[in-house]
Amino acid sequence: MSIAEKIKVLIVDDQVTSRLLLSDALTQLGFKQITSAGDGEQGMKIMAEQPHHLVISDFNMPKMDGIGFLQAVRANPNTKKAAFIILTAQGDRALVQKAASLGANNVLAKPFTIEKMKAAIEAVFGALK
């Protein structure tokens, strides 16, 4: 069993198309345990019920944005150890720095390639094979 098969992933993005693209890319990389949420509030409910090892979260979302969700994940003792990759279309250095200061493990820019996604995840978990 590869590392990817053991990792539970939570995708949090308000765009259905983005969630599907992320899920497809993760599946191609060998991930099998993938859950999705439409915003940070729904993501926290899922994390409270069953913590995941990796969260890939968009920045711009209604109800609770990616930064608020990151803060909530890091504040909860049951979820704070999850790896967190923030997904953004913005080339905003301030956002990237803020996410890093709040405990994001990496940033993945949209549009992304499978290779860039793999590199972002491997920077956190090491080689996936």
Side-chain angles (χ1 to χ4, degrees):
M1 183 180 280
S2 72
I3 291 172
E5 291 175 316
K6 297 176 187 176
I7 297 172
K8 290 181 188 172
V9 184
L10 175 61
I11 298 167
V12 184
D13 195 315
D14 61 316
Q15 299 294 320
V16 174
T17 304
S18 292
R19 290 196 306 267
L20 292 172
L21 288 170
L22 287 161
S23 182
D24 183 59
L26 288 163
T27 300
Q28 289 182 50
L29 291 173
F31 291 88
K32 303 216 181 291
Q33 302 178 70
I34 304 167
T35 308
S36 294
D39 60 53
E41 286 183 4
Q42 186 182 17
M44 274 314 297
K45 287 178 186 171
I46 291 169
M47 289 291 282
E49 292 170 11
Q50 176 133 40
H52 288 59
H53 305 108
L54 171 62
V55 174
I56 300 176
S57 176
D58 190 26
F59 169 68
N60 287 313
M61 297 181 291
K63 295 185 184 176
M64 182 188 292
D65 68 14
I67 294 296
F69 180 49
L70 171 59
Q71 290 175 307
V73 167
R74 291 293 180 246
N76 184 321
N78 296 322
T79 62
K80 69 181 181 181
K81 292 186 180 181
F84 200 105
I85 297 175
I86 195 104
L87 183 68
T88 184
Q90 300 175 9
D92 185 347
R93 281 201 187 282
L95 167 65
V96 171
Q97 290 173 343
K98 183 171 186 170
S101 74
L102 294 171
N105 298 89
N106 214 332
V107 175
L108 181 61
K110 289 194 274 188
F112 63 88
T113 62
I114 291 175
E115 292 78 23
K116 287 182 182 178
M117 175 185 272
K118 182 179 181 191
I121 295 168
E122 287 184 337
V124 179
F125 288 98
L128 293 175
K129 297 285 177 178

